[in-house]
């Protein structure tokens, strides 16, 4: 392997890149957030249904009393009373919708409490554990990658210094330069060449070490992903939220 070869690394924003597992962790947090938002949505809709039902009931009572004491009789009174009965029945329908919506809310709340726990410092406990597990699995890789990047920087710096030293030495023939100055420039070139050789060897050594650890890194990260997926937080969140939203829609359409 030469220092010019690139180590095998995933593309930018890949799951394997440093800290890019956070996108996966966020799905768990999003599941909790979406669940909470849907519960709020259902609560608000049930309140609307309840208020509408109550207003219909109050309207019926008000006008029932007025009609009973009024001068209406016969067919006219029957029509008015019939409209009141229809509105009262509609109030019962909307109260029923409210009750069924709150049943969905209660079921969703129970599922949320069973599947998500709040962390001591806020957020989702499962997501925090998820992130800690990934961070632990990625830590050795991150240290080795940082070492590679440092050695690469040192190597490139040494190469630039060697080029500058060579250029300075090559320009000694164009001006009045003493033998002592030429000797010092030659010594500097030799030192730069040694630095290039040493930093290149170190860079190649860290590249080799990083690449040899890659398979272990992938296994460790996949193991965390497999364990966390076995809990089915993100997948079950999507499924539960979708089914609850569908039930809510079917209730409100009745």
């Amino acid at each position: 392997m030469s220092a010019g070869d690139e180590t095998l690394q995933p593309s930018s924003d890949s799951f394997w890149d440093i800290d890019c597992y956070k996108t996966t962790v966020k799905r768990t947090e999003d599941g909790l957030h979406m669940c909470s938002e849907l519960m709020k949505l259902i609560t608000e809709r049930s309140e609307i249904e309840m208020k509408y039902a109550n207003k219909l009931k109050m309207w019926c009572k008000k006008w029932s009393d007025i009609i009973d004491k009024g001068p209406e009789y016969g067919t006219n009174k029957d029509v008015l009373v019939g409209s009141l009965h229809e509105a009262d029945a509609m109030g019962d329908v909307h109260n029923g919708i409210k009750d069924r919506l709150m049943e969905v809310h209660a079921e969703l709340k129970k599922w949320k409490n069973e599947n998500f726990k709040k962390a001591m410092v806020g957020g989702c406990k499962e997501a925090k554990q998820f992130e800690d597990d990934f961070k632990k699995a990625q830590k050795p890789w991150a240290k080795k990658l940082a070492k590679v990047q440092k050695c690469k920087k040192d190597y490139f710096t040494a190469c630039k210094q060697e080029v500058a030293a060579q250029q300075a030495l090559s320009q000694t023939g164009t001006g009045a330069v003493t033998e002592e100055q030429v000797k010092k420039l030659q010594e500097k070139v030799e030192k730069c060449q040694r630095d290039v050789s040493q930093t290149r060897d170190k860079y190649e050594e860290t590249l080799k070490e990083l690449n040899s650890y890659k398979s272990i890194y992938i296994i460790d990260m996949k193991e965390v992903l497999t364990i966390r997926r076995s809990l089915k937080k993100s997948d079950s969140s999507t499924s539960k939220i979708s089914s609850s939203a569908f039930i809510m829609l079917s209730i409100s359409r009745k």
Side-chain angles (χ1 to χ4, degrees):
M1 180 189 293
S2 70
D5 295 335
E6 288 295 330
T7 183
L8 298 175
Q9 294 188 49
S11 60
S12 179
D13 295 330
S14 164
F15 167 76
W16 310 105
D17 288 345
I18 302 301
D19 289 342
C20 283
Y21 59 78
K22 290 184 178 181
T23 300
T24 304
V25 173
K26 192 174 183 298
R27 294 194 187 106
T28 301
E29 296 174 336
D30 289 345
L32 174 59
H33 177 72
M34 289 188 296
C35 183
S36 298
E37 290 298 296
L38 180 57
M39 288 173 64
K40 290 179 184 177
L41 184 148
I42 294 174
T43 298
E44 290 180 7
R45 177 59 188 269
S46 67
E47 288 174 351
I48 292 172
E49 297 292 341
M50 181 180 67
K51 288 177 181 178
Y52 181 54
N54 289 341
K55 283 185 175 295
L56 283 174
K57 295 285 186 179
M58 291 171 61
W59 180 81
C60 289
K61 185 178 185 309
K62 170 187 173 182
W63 283 100
S64 179
D65 292 341
I66 293 174
I67 291 171
D68 285 344
K69 298 175 182 179
E72 289 82 3
Y73 65 94
T75 302
N76 285 344
K77 184 173 182 179
D78 291 341
V79 170
L80 292 174
V81 171
S83 69
L84 296 181
H85 288 166
E86 185 274 336
D88 187 67
M90 186 60 67
D92 291 336
V93 169
H94 285 280
N95 269 327
I97 292 175
K98 180 263 294 180
D99 292 339
R100 289 193 294 276
L101 286 172
M102 290 312 296
E103 288 174 4
V104 176
H105 182 279
E107 182 182 344
L108 195 56
K109 182 178 180 180
K110 179 183 177 182
W111 179 87
K112 175 186 173 183
N113 292 337
E114 290 174 349
N115 286 270
F116 295 99
K117 302 293 185 296
K118 282 191 174 182
M120 294 293 291
V121 293
C124 176
K125 184 177 180 181
E126 286 78 6
K128 180 66 169 61
Q129 185 61 53
F130 200 177
E131 183 172 11
D132 288 345
D133 291 345
F134 272 128
K135 189 178 295 184
K136 182 178 178 181
Q138 195 174 77
K139 187 175 180 180
W141 173 266
K143 288 179 67 175
K144 294 178 187 299
L145 182 60
K147 192 175 179 180
V148 167
Q149 291 169 340
K150 180 182 182 304
C151 290
K152 179 179 179 179
K153 182 180 179 181
D154 292 344
Y155 170 56
F156 285 178
T157 299
C159 289
K160 290 178 181 179
Q161 290 175 345
E162 182 195 8
V163 170
Q166 291 281 13
Q167 289 176 342
L169 181 61
S170 65
Q171 292 172 0
T172 57
T174 62
V177 182
T178 65
E179 290 184 5
E180 183 64 23
Q181 289 175 320
V182 171
K183 183 179 179 182
K184 286 183 178 180
L185 286 173
Q186 289 174 337
E187 289 174 350
K188 185 174 182 180
V189 168
E190 291 172 359
K191 181 182 181 301
C192 287
Q193 289 174 338
R194 289 195 299 271
D195 289 343
V196 167
S197 178
Q198 290 172 358
T199 54
R200 181 179 60 245
D201 291 345
K202 188 64 177 178
Y203 179 33
E204 290 182 345
E205 179 185 338
T206 56
L207 277 173
K208 185 177 180 180
E209 183 181 350
L210 183 70
N211 280 323
S212 65
Y213 186 77
K214 182 182 177 184
S215 60
I216 299 174
Y217 168 60
I218 291 176
I219 291 172
D220 288 347
M221 291 290 280
K222 282 185 175 180
E223 184 177 353
V224 174
L225 189 62
T226 300
I227 292 173
R228 302 311 298 178
R229 277 182 174 173
S230 68
L231 299 178
K232 300 181 179 179
K233 298 297 180 187
S234 58
D235 293 341
S236 65
S237 295
T238 302
S239 176
K240 184 63 178 178
I241 291 168
S242 296
S243 63
S244 297
F246 181 79
I247 292 172
M248 187 200 74
L249 179 62
S250 64
I251 290 173
S252 61
R253 281 178 172 177
K254 292 180 179 179

